[in-house]
Amino acid sequence: MKSNINYSLITGIIIIIIFTITFSLLYIFSRHNQIEEDKYVLLGDEAPIPTELHPIVEETKNILLEKAAEIDIDVIITEGLRPFEKQDELYNQGRSTLGNIVTYSKAGESFHNYGLAFDYAIKNANGGIEWDIDYDGNHNGQSDWFEVAEIAKELGFEWGGDWRKFKDYPHLQMTFGLSIPMLQEGYRLAEDNKTK
């Protein structure tokens, strides 16, 4: 009986070790494939924290505003780059301060913090901000919010309204293949650092 218990224990330990090694190798392989040496540069602690939207994000955002205006949708940008301090203030909202929970990201965990995301809303006929995602201000039978999102996706943005868990309808981001863990480690686009 004792040998059966030892055999089961040893078998269990071996299985755990095999799974651990397998998942570790898969993680290393996926990280290696994710980090293309010619596309990204690791700056570590020297990696700059942006003070404005990435130039490509800014330029594409302006194209989005123009294209939305062409179909009579007045888009307003409610937030662009978000400093770490502001991110923590928003994270604390609904937790340690009053208000509803509006984010699950702490400082350094949002693409806003790296100038790769912005939030938008629709301006209604009275000039106020329209938060109703079904609002159809141009009267074409479609939600203005969703029309803007479709234009944004055609321009290369990811839309928070497509997320499965936490739908973030005002959110648009352009990550260039960078993940939050990569940005936190200090990876930046190599193109942005050629002259630095």
Side-chain angles (χ1 to χ4, degrees), residues 64 67 71 120 142-157 159 162 172:
L64 171 66
K67 288 186 171 289
I71 56 171
Y120 74 96
Q142 300 175 53
S143 158
D144 291 357
W145 279 83
F146 287 78
E147 287 185 87
V148 171
E150 286 306 313
I151 296 168
K153 289 190 282 185
E154 288 171 9
L155 293 171
F157 286 106
W159 180 45
D162 288 333
L172 292 169

Side-chain angles (χ1 to χ4, degrees), residues 72-87:
D72 295 323
I73 299 176
D74 193 0
V75 176
I76 183 167
I77 303 304
T78 58
E79 184 146 36
L81 178 115
R82 185 182 299 143
F84 281 33
E85 300 79 28
K86 174 81 182 282
Q87 187 69 41

Side-chain angles (χ1 to χ4, degrees), residues 54-183:
H54 186 279
I56 295 172
V57 176
E58 177 71 28
E59 180 182 340
T60 313
K61 176 201 73 169
N62 292 334
I63 294 169
L64 171 66
L65 298 177
E66 291 170 12
K67 288 186 171 289
E70 289 171 8
I71 56 171
D72 295 323
I73 299 176
D74 193 0
V75 176
I76 183 167
I77 303 304
T78 58
E79 184 146 36
L81 178 115
R82 185 182 299 143
F84 281 33
E85 300 79 28
K86 174 81 182 282
Q87 187 69 41
D88 273 339
E89 283 177 28
L90 287 175
Y91 180 80
N92 290 332
Q93 184 177 314
R95 293 178 177 90
S96 59
T97 63
L98 294 175
N100 296 323
I101 290 177
V102 294
T103 185
Y104 292 95
S105 301
K106 295 179 181 178
E109 297 176 352
S110 170
F111 286 108
H112 281 281
N113 303 147
Y114 302 96
L116 302 176
F118 61 88
D119 293 337
Y120 74 96
I122 307 299
K123 206 182 271 190
N124 62 30
N126 300 325
I129 295 178
E130 187 59 59
W131 292 108
D132 177 5
I133 62 168
D134 295 319
Y135 178 74
D136 179 20
N138 62 359
H139 308 292
N140 66 353
Q142 300 175 53
S143 158
D144 291 357
W145 279 83
F146 287 78
E147 287 185 87
V148 171
E150 286 306 313
I151 296 168
K153 289 190 282 185
E154 288 171 9
L155 293 171
F157 286 106
E158 298 168 37
W159 180 45
D162 288 333
W163 296 345
R164 289 184 184 176
K165 290 185 180 180
F166 176 67
K167 301 273 188 192
D168 191 356
Y169 293 102
H171 183 87
L172 292 169
Q173 65 186 33
M174 191 175 282
T175 67
F176 307 100
L178 288 161
S179 66
I180 292 296
M182 289 172 69
L183 289 163

